[in-house]
Amino acid sequence: CLGIKMGAVLGRLVGEGVQKEVATAALGLLVGWYFSRPGIQAERSRPTYAALTHSKKSESALQLGNDDDDDYFVLPETLDLRRQAQLVLARPSDHAGEVLVRTRPDFNLDETIFQTLPTGVKGFLPRTVVSHRLGVDLFWDDGVAVKIQSAFAKLQRPPKHDQRILEFMQNRCNFNTEHADGSFLDHLQFCYEYSASYFKEHSPRVLFLHSILGVGTNIFPMKKEDEPALAAILTPIEMTHIAAFPSILRLLASFALIDELGQTATAKLQTLKSITFHRVIDNEEMTLTGEQFWVQMNYQLVHLLDFLPVAHWEEHADDMFLQQFGPLHAIMTRAEKVMARVDFELTSIDSGSDGRPLSLASFIKMAVPTSVKRNMTTKNVKLFSSKVGHSLDYTITWG
């Protein structure tokens, strides 16, 4: 009965272009089979590791502002184990067999940067998929945790932040929200440290401030009128890349730019002369030269590292961030434009489940076709841009 009811809901969501009766019946039977399969709970919920390492903020972190200040925020002194491992290895890793993923019971999507996803019936599918993807706690194997932490402790620390930038972020911006994993500032700090370590020819401050002029979900940490003050404490090229970042991010997330570049011959990729697009914060036209464009792509590649699944890539092959990261890395490799050190090979240690007990959210994730998820992502990007009067139109000029 539960399977048929869930199938009816999913049939309405993914049945476009096919007979809804067939979609409903098939999905209903599939759900019913999964929930009646012998031993499913034991198979999917067997605990194996005891080391919980999830933490949102370090107790010894650098604090800005006062505890009573609503805009008070904390820069992390250290990073979580997933981020530490990426910095140690200079690449993302499938940690299957090293970490146990568990659904976080108190996860609230409305406390994250994804709070602006549609609500109601239209928002049911995207909110369910995103919540299942992000609402997790990670339990690491003790030996693996010690190995990662020991290697991370030996890394050279990144340059200290410019105090003027920290004061600007504290006094003129609002970063008081959760990101995909931990606080907004955990994400910014990881991007900064990775860029400082493996993209040394270009400023890491770009990735520390990449979201200041707009997040993909229409959160704007800084007001447009404060842009001149920000530009005054940055170099012109830093400001160019920071201003371009939210727009290029949306062109990648909508798959328009990835699809066009992916279909372009290798020889032609190397002749890209410029790209013109619209800024997210004010929809003004902006142009990057070919050289600036490929540098920007490296910033985007590093940024995507922080959104990849921690484990079981084969199971999560249709993850929208993997769907962006893999093709983008391949395009840049073909064009010989990977400047940041980002080693990547899409392999999986373990093709099994991530270990979480089956739930409605996990079933929906499995049942919804990749094409539907991709179309959903594209529609959401277009919806967010339309709400702020932002055009996703762009033009590439080839040499």
Side-chain angles (χ1 to χ4, degrees), residues 260-301:
E260 178 172 354
L261 296 177
Q263 295 165 9
T264 302
T266 300
K268 188 175 181 180
L269 283 176
Q270 297 172 339
T271 69
L272 191 148
K273 188 175 181 180
S274 66
I275 181 171
T276 299
F277 51 90
H278 297 265
R279 297 190 347 152
V280 173
I281 199 165
D282 55 16
N283 204 42
E284 291 183 2
E285 274 198 354
M286 181 176 181
T287 298
L288 294 179
T289 66
E291 181 181 355
Q292 291 170 342
F293 172 77
W294 290 116
V295 171
Q296 174 73 202
M297 288 297 98
N298 279 267
Y299 281 130
Q300 296 284 344
L301 194 67

Side-chain angles (χ1 to χ4, degrees), residues 181-201:
D181 187 3
S183 78
F184 211 125
L185 295 172
D186 289 317
H187 170 65
L188 299 183
Q189 184 65 20
F190 165 76
C191 291
Y192 174 78
E193 293 195 22
Y194 197 100
S195 182
S197 297
Y198 300 115
F199 197 26
K200 295 179 181 292
E201 295 79 11

Side-chain angles (χ1 to χ4, degrees), residues 22 27 33 66 77 100 113 159 191 197 218 231 264 272 294 319:
V22 175
L27 287 169
W33 173 74
N66 300 313
E77 183 179 81
L100 184 67
I113 62 169
C191 291
S197 297
N218 287 353
T264 302
L272 191 148
W294 290 116
D319 179 272

